[in-house]
Amino acid sequence: MKKTIIVLLMLFTASLNLHAATDLNTASQLELETLTGIGPTKAKAIIDYRKKNGGFKSTDEIVKVDGIGVGTLKKLGKDISISKKKIEVPSKGRISSSVGYQ
């Protein structure tokens, strides 16, 4: 009985992840590779682009990544998202800093 409950909980958790959009600004290479039309090379290109440019501002910006065009963007559809990028706000004379959003 315990095994059945554990398996059901694992399946439920996995199903939630299947419906969540992949965040282009935070996804790992493996997470990006789960997207339709994105393999290891394109996933690495996405990560390289976001490092170089400070993240994506919109999902449409993915077409600026080498090897990704409008067709791939259409396939990805609602499977991708963009989160707000955290930025460090300098504090004056304080040891800790606060975090703001751009």
Side-chain angles (χ1 to χ4, degrees):
M1 180 69 173
K2 287 183 182 179
K3 288 183 181 180
T4 305
I5 292 172
I6 291 171
V7 169
L8 289 174
L9 286 173
M10 289 173 60
L11 289 172
F12 176 73
T13 303
S15 70
L16 291 176
N17 289 336
L18 291 175
H19 299 295
T22 301
D23 187 328
L24 294 176
N25 285 330
T26 60
S28 68
Q29 179 159 347
L30 290 176
E31 290 171 320
L32 292 168
E33 289 177 24
T34 65
L35 295 168
T36 303
I38 304 296
T41 303
K42 288 182 184 176
K44 182 165 179 357
I46 291 169
I47 292 170
D48 291 345
Y49 179 89
R50 96 178 161 211
K51 284 180 183 176
K52 181 180 178 186
N53 297 287
F56 292 88
K57 283 109 185 126
S58 73
T59 55
D60 295 340
E61 192 178 345
I62 197 169
V63 299
K64 294 181 178 180
V65 175
D66 287 338
I68 298 177
V70 176
T72 302
L73 175 61
K74 286 181 183 179
K75 287 180 190 175
L76 294 172
K78 295 181 181 180
D79 293 336
I80 56 174
S81 67
I82 301 297
S83 65
K84 290 188 176 197
K85 182 183 166 199
K86 291 182 180 181
I87 57 169
E88 288 296 320
V89 177
S91 61
K92 292 185 178 182
R94 296 184 188 169
I95 295 172
S96 62
S97 64
S98 59
V99 176
Y101 292 92
Q102 213 174 19

